[in-house]
Amino acid sequence: MCPQQMELLSFPPPPLHTVFVSDRVSFRTEGTQRVISVQGVAFAHYDIGDRAAEAYAMIALFESGYASQTEIARSFGYSARSIRRYQERFEAGGVGALVRPSGRPAGSSSRRSKQRGRDQTILHLKTKGFSNRAIAGRLGLSEKAIRQRLRRLGWQPPPQSCLPFPQETSGDTPLANVSENLIDIAPAATTQQSHSNEETEPVGRSRDPDPLNRSMDRLLAAMGLLEDATPLFAHAESLPRAGVLLAIPSLVASGVLSIARKIYGTLGPAFYGLRTTLVAYILLALLRIPRPETLKEYAPGDLGRIVGLDRIPEVKTLRRKLAQLASRKASQQFGREMARHRIAERGRLVGFLYLDGHVRAYHGKHTIAKTYLTRTRLAVPATTDYWVNDQKGDPLFVVTAEANAAMTQMLAPLLEEVRNLLGPRRRATIVFDRGGWSPKLFQKLLALGFDILTYRKGRVRRVAEKRFALRKATLDGRPVKYLLHEIG
């Protein structure tokens, strides 16, 4: 490259004491004077002691779109919050509002005393056990403001409390009898009198004083003296995903734990036993964690504190426990017992039963038939699950069809199972869509003692309006009127 071209393409270095705010804005300070330039053109000139002029210049740069708040705050030595405060003052009172009056602000001492009183109130409520949200509701502040104020005041939570050591009758208890001290059968309160004689869940005692360090329980499990770790919950603030614990009462009321213990018994000596495995799987499903492999994206300690342990079971552990349960081939019996439990609890809701099929995509290694999946609008390897739901839409049980059988082929075996659950005399109305339309099938269902509610499939002749008659009835305490036509 010739010297002339080098001369044309060279750029002189920026002047001394030049600060670049963005690719278009820069300013230069000499002595007490500062000049702001936008694309080489002077934009503002002021004395650095004039805070109002500097604030107005920063506001003008931002509102003109020459630089962002973060760029302006970083270059001029302010915080983004200060820039926003200057904007609020300017919008409220113009340039005059940017000038800070001399002397102490009026009412500053009263504000400080008010702040001290509020701090004492926050600390007092916090020591009483109030949550940040409850304190914020009482004082009319946000939860974030309470959390920041406690951090500035240096508040520390009280020492963590946990279950005490089990009391031993003698100091020379042999190690073989430790397992007897770990089991404490506590009677569980039941809501239904018909289930008052069910087996209660054994609740063990932990020998770990710290809920976040379960080394003693893990040692006992390794020695074969512990079948399932007792959940211990430590004090925690802002624990992510802890809201899933609201589902625990529903989980207990469903009877899944007691029925699983009745069917599967125990998984043997283990820290993560049957109860912990089932609770972990159910809570992970509620947290939208579809597969154990997805646990790698979450902190095991945080998820473990939700289930009352020091850490959630690892992927290989959950897989091993699931394979151990599947090897017993008791899933059908487990589903049948769960259905019986639901019928006993909510028998009046099974007067109407809704049957429907749902296609579920298959991602395994086996070769299975393809089925049209509505979500993707493609025919993909999939299975069809047929759900039987009660009057409120809650599931009674679910069956996976063999080779994606149609509803006309699945209705008869499904309702045979329903008849075994309801008993030989109880009638129920079966509701399903036109996928189950088959006059030959209807004869079988009527012979089983079921009423049918569905709609026709294909083109049919319209029924004359004069054949419909007005019928009145009372449903759920509410009078209703229908125009009905019945064909004998």
Side-chain angles (χ1 to χ4, degrees), residues 245-275:
L245 292 176
L246 295 174
I248 293 296
S250 299
L251 189 152
V252 175
S254 68
V256 62
L257 299 179
S258 58
I259 294 175
R261 185 171 183 84
K262 175 182 177 182
I263 300 299
Y264 294 102
T266 177
L267 295 179
F271 182 79
Y272 300 110
L274 178 64
R275 181 188 63 246

Side-chain angles (χ1 to χ4, degrees), residues 284-475:
L284 291 179
L286 294 176
L287 290 172
R288 299 296 190 270
I289 301 178
R291 294 177 297 277
E293 287 76 9
T294 316
L295 288 174
K296 301 175 183 178
E297 304 174 6
Y298 299 87
D302 292 344
L303 292 178
R305 298 182 72 173
I306 293 177
V307 297
L309 301 176
D310 52 352
R311 57 186 293 120
I312 199 74
E314 296 183 359
V315 176
K316 61 180 181 180
T317 303
L318 285 176
R319 286 292 189 190
R320 187 175 65 253
K321 300 294 182 181
L322 184 61
Q324 188 176 354
L325 292 174
S327 64
R328 302 186 183 182
K329 301 185 183 300
S331 59
Q332 187 175 4
Q333 183 183 0
F334 177 73
R336 187 178 290 111
E337 289 295 329
M338 286 293 300
R340 288 198 180 100
H341 177 80
R342 290 165 181 164
I343 290 176
E345 291 285 340
R346 301 173 291 181
R348 61 185 181 85
L349 297 178
V350 295
F352 284 85
L353 293 177
Y354 301 88
L355 278 73
D356 198 8
H358 299 277
V359 178
R360 177 162 50 92
Y362 177 75
H363 303 284
K365 299 179 180 180
H366 299 282
T367 302
I368 65 174
K370 292 185 177 182
T371 305
Y372 181 77
L373 187 61
T374 306
R375 178 170 53 85
T376 61
R377 298 183 180 181
L378 294 172
V380 298
T383 59
T384 304
D385 296 334
Y386 286 94
W387 291 77
V388 181
N389 301 327
D390 61 16
Q391 185 175 348
K392 287 188 175 181
D394 295 331
L396 187 63
F397 64 89
V398 59
V399 173
T400 301
E402 296 182 1
N404 293 319
M407 182 177 286
T408 53
Q409 300 177 12
M410 291 297 299
L411 272 176
L414 281 174
L415 294 182
E416 288 177 2
E417 183 67 27
V418 172
R419 175 53 63 200
N420 294 332
L421 293 172
L422 295 181
R425 297 183 179 181
R426 184 170 184 175
R427 298 191 66 87
T429 301
I430 308 302
V431 184
F432 51 90
D433 60 17
R434 61 180 183 176
W437 176 269
S438 173
K440 294 182 180 180
L441 176 63
F442 295 163
Q443 295 179 358
K444 297 180 181 179
L445 302 185
L446 293 175
L448 289 173
F450 291 106
D451 299 323
I452 301 170
L453 181 59
T454 184
Y455 58 95
R456 294 194 180 197
K457 183 177 182 180
R459 296 182 179 180
V460 296
R461 187 174 58 182
R462 296 176 62 88
V463 180
E465 185 177 354
K466 62 181 181 180
R467 292 181 177 271
F468 289 83
L470 179 64
R471 304 294 183 185
K472 299 180 181 180
T474 302
L475 299 178

